[in-house]
Amino acid sequence: MRSEELQLLEQHLDGTLAEEDFARLEKLLLEDGEARAMLRTLATLDLGLHDIALGQQLHRNKELVETRSIPPRRTTSSSFSASWTRSLLAIATLAIIGLGIALWFQSSGSSAESAADRNIAKVTGTGGEVAFTGNGGSVTTDLKRGTLLTGGTIEGSSPTSWVELEFLDGSRVTVAGDSRLTFSDFDQKVLYLKDGSVASSVKPQNPDSPMLVYTRNAMLEVLGTEFEVESDVESTSLDVTEGKVRFKRLSDGQTVEVPANQRVQSAEGLKLSAQPIPDRTNQWEINLNHPHGMTGKWIPSTESLPPRLKLVHYWHKSPKAGSILIKSASMPVVGKDNQRVVLRPGSMLRVRGFAKANQKTVFGFVVRNNNGDFGGYYVSSKPKVYWMDLQTNDESRSGDLQSFEFVIDADDLCRGQDLDSQHFASTPVGLVADTFFCSTPPEDSDLEITEVEIFNQMQIE
Amino acid sequence: MRLLIRHDRAIRAWLRASLPSMNDVDEVMQEVSVVAWRKFDQLDDPENFQRWVSVIARYEILMYRRKKARDRFVLGKEVEQLIAEEGQEELKLREQQLGALEHCVQKLPESKRELVMEVYSSGQPMHEVAKQLGKSDAALYKSISRVRQSLLECVKRSLAEGAAS
């Protein structure tokens, strides 16, 4: 096999292949059985090296914990080396699931302090402004893919914040938007969702120690399934995509089993029962008379003006400029009967409100994949704008604020700058709109939103 | 669960050839684990587990491919089918290669072993690692490629020696 062909295969696996070389790679793989066999061997090498490196990293973390809990004389270089080799071979023989189990059993006898220091999860994806408060109260905002975490609290601080965590057994949890989640995994996984939403895909758990998810008003028992939970001060909403989750309302102790494709809501006064997740819709409009779940400053209606949502300050992590201050407001996208709202071909976003002329503004959606996972965020940064017009007319507000209407095809929204093309689709069409948001630079911005809707393009033609 | 753990690495290695990244492998393997767990009572003979779970994995690759079809760098259906079908017959070879790899990594000179572990444990793109190591992208690619070549040779040699003995 020629060296340039080998290089193509390596670049493909490394994710460094240039777009113009992709067709050449496909042709090679289609026509040459030897190249396909080499790709499989290189893929095996790639996976094996990842596993060995992960095993070594976990082993080092464990060594650090042990170094703190045993007398220093026991950590001589020879015992370190022998122990390293034995453990490495043992760990490398097991897969990720095995790694988690092995590490758990190895560390179950250590002190409470070392258990608290133990890394229990890895960041597998993140974006936007996210803070992690770990053991001992240390705070970091510098989370990256591959960062190992002890138990602690993850806090997203803007609508486009997100972080995906993977526990040692492969269970995944995605925290998105303005959410706060505390997690631990001593002898069982326990999550506390203070606010916001979490999507989870949980590997089969020991029936004696199911994963527990607490919100302000409910408790969920999870044995291995996919689900999405949203919580605020008043209610908790659970959608189960796969498997089954036991849902307990804390105020009266009532429980209900929620199977796949069903939903339950825990608001007080409502009968607690699992209902089929309603059919999806492609239409949505906000009702600003009931500003439930919105972020921003809500202004009630007056004699001459409708209720408005004003933008407030947020920190935003920009891939180019780092943490910057912006003004932003957001609102959940939920259909009339609590339906999920899908962006379909022809879906249009219309926003109305008051703004200054030439106000730099970004509108967008945070979306979810169809299984509830975080699907990225998409913005109107370089769109083909169908119609954007700041009008001076009778509806002019005080000062220099004027009414505006902004319309854009959902297919013209662009993927967030910090989202990679391998994991996030190039367009939000086909995905579920989760949150609408609007952002502006912090200075000199008084934008107010009065109406937002998603409608089908056919309706205006 | 024990059966899945025993065969997990060979299946993941097979998946890796069909999927663009390790994250994709983890995602598909997660689906495979859940489906295998749920349908375990349909497995007639534990001896057939590898074959049985590879059929589940084939289906999950297809589903994943459908989901990601619009992404760049997703191999065409025909190519992906060839890679997966041929690979389905090589799970035993994957296990042997992974076993040999562990020994071969130990035989690497320390500096090379550290470099390769640094790259593979970082979870970051190569160009980011290059930046952190103060190397140019090209220099790091070249170094890693050389280490891979020597590991490939070593794995081949180990399997050939194993077969001869």
Side-chain angles (χ1 to χ4, degrees):
Chain A
M1 166 159 249
R2 290 182 307 161
S3 66
E4 58 265 38
E5 291 172 344
L6 196 62
Q7 198 180 353
L8 272 183
L9 300 178
E10 286 190 88
Q11 286 172 341
H12 171 58
L13 289 169
D14 289 341
T16 57
L17 189 68
E19 205 155 357
E20 59 270 24
D21 289 332
F22 188 67
R24 205 150 60 89
L25 171 82
E26 278 213 298
K27 187 168 184 290
L28 173 71
L29 290 172
L30 192 63
E31 293 171 356
D32 188 345
E34 194 194 342
R36 291 194 297 273
M38 178 54 83
L39 177 69
R40 289 192 294 271
T41 299
L42 285 170
T44 307
L45 213 68
D46 185 72
L47 179 117
L49 289 170
H50 266 108
D51 280 0
I52 293 170
L54 178 64
Q56 184 174 331
Q57 201 176 12
L58 288 171
H59 181 84
R60 277 182 182 157
N61 290 328
K62 186 169 170 290
E63 283 286 339
L64 278 173
V65 170
E66 285 177 351
T67 309
R68 291 184 201 174
S69 58
I70 59 177
R73 62 188 163 81
R74 290 181 58 190
T75 56
T76 61
S77 59
S78 60
S79 67
F80 174 87
S81 166
S83 145
W84 186 89
T85 310
R86 276 197 305 274
S87 297
L88 178 58
L89 288 174
I91 288 168
T93 309
L94 299 172
I96 300 297
I97 303 169
L99 277 169
I101 294 167
L103 196 60
W104 164 245
F105 279 112
Q106 283 167 8
S107 59
S108 61
S110 55
S111 68
E113 186 194 350
S114 61
D117 284 348
R118 187 163 49 95
N119 288 318
I120 60 170
K122 185 172 75 168
V123 176
T124 48
T126 184
E129 191 74 17
V130 177
F132 171 69
T133 308
N135 185 42
S138 61
V139 181
T140 176
T141 54
D142 190 26
L143 296 181
K144 294 187 180 112
R145 258 176 74 184
T147 303
L148 294 168
L149 302 177
T150 62
T153 299
I154 286 279
E155 197 165 357
S157 57
S158 75
T160 55
S161 302
W162 68 281
V163 60
E164 183 186 70
L165 304 178
E166 183 179 297
F167 289 93
L168 289 172
D169 68 353
S171 296
R172 288 186 184 217
V173 167
T174 308
V175 186
D178 206 354
S179 300
R180 196 151 42 112
L181 177 81
T182 302
F183 60 95
S184 67
D185 188 5
F186 291 149
D187 50 1
Q188 77 185 123
K189 292 177 192 62
V190 183
L191 313 183
Y192 295 87
L193 178 63
K194 307 284 169 50
D195 279 303
S197 70
V198 161
S200 291
S201 178
V202 183
K203 292 269 183 180
Q205 303 291 293
N206 182 340
D208 296 329
S209 52
M211 175 167 147
L212 301 178
V213 183
Y214 288 91
T215 68
R216 288 174 194 266
N217 37 49
M219 192 263 278
L220 283 57
E221 270 182 46
V222 185
L223 278 172
T225 178
E226 278 188 8
F227 65 91
E228 186 186 338
V229 58
E230 280 185 33
S231 172
D232 60 27
V233 285
E234 289 173 339
S235 68
T236 296
S237 166
L238 166 73
D239 283 11
V240 178
T241 318
E242 273 191 23
K244 194 185 279 185
V245 175
R246 185 193 296 268
F247 185 100
K248 182 178 184 179
R249 182 156 64 190
L250 296 176
S251 59
D252 56 9
Q254 275 192 58
T255 62
V256 61
E257 300 262 351
V258 188
N261 301 317
Q262 298 233 340
R263 159 186 293 181
V264 68
Q265 284 174 308
S266 77
E268 230 163 304
L270 285 181
K271 189 180 167 221
L272 193 70
S273 66
Q275 303 287 340
I277 295 173
D279 286 342
R280 293 157 181 221
T281 177
N282 59 357
Q283 292 185 356
W284 166 72
E285 59 183 312
I286 53 162
N287 180 355
L288 272 173
N289 288 310
H290 300 284
H292 184 75
M294 298 179 187
T295 61
K297 185 180 176 188
W298 180 70
I299 304 168
S301 59
T302 60
E303 261 182 33
S304 57
L305 290 168
R308 286 101 69 205
L309 192 67
K310 207 171 166 176
L311 278 58
V312 295
H313 283 111
Y314 272 103
W315 283 104
H316 172 71
K317 190 175 269 179
S318 148
K320 285 180 186 161
S323 284
I324 53 170
L325 196 62
I326 58 168
K327 274 192 166 177
S328 189
S330 70
M331 50 198 76
V333 180
V334 182
K336 262 187 186 166
D337 300 312
N338 284 326
Q339 296 146 300
R340 291 178 179 170
V341 180
V342 181
L343 298 171
R344 299 198 191 282
S347 285
M348 308 288 290
L349 165 70
R350 173 158 45 213
V351 188
R352 289 186 175 133
F354 299 104
K356 285 180 181 172
N358 303 320
Q359 174 68 61
K360 280 183 193 165
T361 309
V362 168
F363 299 103
F365 288 111
V366 175
V367 297
R368 289 191 182 274
N369 296 325
N370 290 307
N371 63 358
D373 282 353
F374 178 75
Y377 69 95
Y378 294 82
V379 294
S380 58
S381 57
K382 289 178 187 168
K384 182 176 74 175
V385 179
Y386 278 79
W387 176 25
M388 179 166 183
D389 191 11
L390 285 168
Q391 308 161 10
T392 306
N393 57 26
D394 301 345
E395 293 179 26
S396 286
R397 291 253 291 109
S398 60
D400 47 1
L401 286 187
Q402 300 162 6
S403 63
F404 73 87
E405 180 176 80
F406 174 85
V407 182
I408 186 171
D409 189 323
D411 203 31
D412 289 330
L413 295 171
C414 307
R415 184 174 51 223
Q417 277 184 326
D418 55 340
L419 303 177
D420 66 82
S421 59
Q422 278 195 1
H423 298 96
F424 298 97
S426 56
T427 163
V429 172
L431 302 175
V432 179
D434 180 81
T435 305
F436 162 80
F437 65 90
C438 165
S439 303
T440 69
E443 71 281 355
D444 203 26
S445 159
D446 284 310
L447 194 135
E448 296 172 358
I449 294 167
T450 56
E451 290 174 51
V452 188
E453 67 175 319
I454 296 171
F455 63 97
N456 196 283
Q457 198 174 347
M458 299 301 287
Q459 292 168 344
I460 60 167
E461 283 173 352
Chain B
M1 177 65 98
R2 270 197 298 274
L3 282 169
L4 195 57
I5 290 173
R6 194 192 310 158
H7 298 289
D8 175 271
R9 290 210 309 156
I11 296 162
R12 286 167 62 236
W14 169 54
L15 290 176
R16 179 69 184 98
S18 297
L19 297 169
S21 75
M22 280 300 296
N23 275 348
D24 298 309
V25 172
D26 289 345
E27 208 164 307
V28 171
M29 194 61 202
Q30 191 170 309
E31 295 298 324
V32 173
S33 311
V34 172
V35 175
W37 180 265
R38 218 174 39 220
K39 296 189 173 173
F40 191 71
D41 54 353
Q42 293 174 15
L43 173 65
D44 46 6
D45 180 357
E47 289 296 309
N48 295 335
F49 180 79
Q50 202 174 58
R51 183 88 207 162
W52 179 74
V53 83
S54 70
V55 173
I56 295 175
R58 273 293 279 129
Y59 178 76
E60 292 301 331
I61 293 176
L62 280 175
M63 296 305 289
Y64 196 74
R65 209 189 150 277
R66 197 172 294 168
K67 200 163 77 178
K68 301 269 179 173
R70 283 188 299 176
D71 288 8
R72 294 181 306 159
F73 303 130
V74 171
L75 292 169
K77 196 173 174 187
E78 205 179 338
V79 179
E80 188 278 317
Q81 263 176 356
L82 280 168
I83 292 169
E85 274 167 20
E86 290 166 357
Q88 203 165 356
E89 306 303 320
E90 295 175 344
L91 291 175
K92 186 82 189 156
L93 174 63
R94 298 282 87 85
E95 276 174 9
Q96 291 168 344
Q97 286 177 332
L98 286 165
L101 178 66
E102 287 165 15
H103 296 288
C104 292
V105 168
Q106 293 307 310
K107 288 182 194 168
L108 282 175
E110 198 176 338
S111 60
K112 288 187 178 174
R113 192 169 63 230
E114 279 179 4
L115 177 72
V116 84
M117 292 295 107
E118 183 73 37
V119 168
Y120 279 90
S121 67
S122 71
Q124 291 177 333
M126 289 261 251
H127 63 92
E128 287 292 334
V129 183
K131 216 183 287 172
Q132 282 164 18
L133 295 175
K135 289 174 178 263
S136 70
D137 294 0
L140 182 64
Y141 293 143
K142 201 176 253 181
S143 305
I144 285 295
S145 184
R146 279 194 196 127
V147 177
R148 282 191 194 127
Q149 290 312 309
S150 72
L151 286 171
L152 264 180
E153 290 303 317
C154 173
V155 166
K156 261 190 217 166
R157 214 169 34 242
S158 299
L159 295 189
E161 283 166 7
S165 61

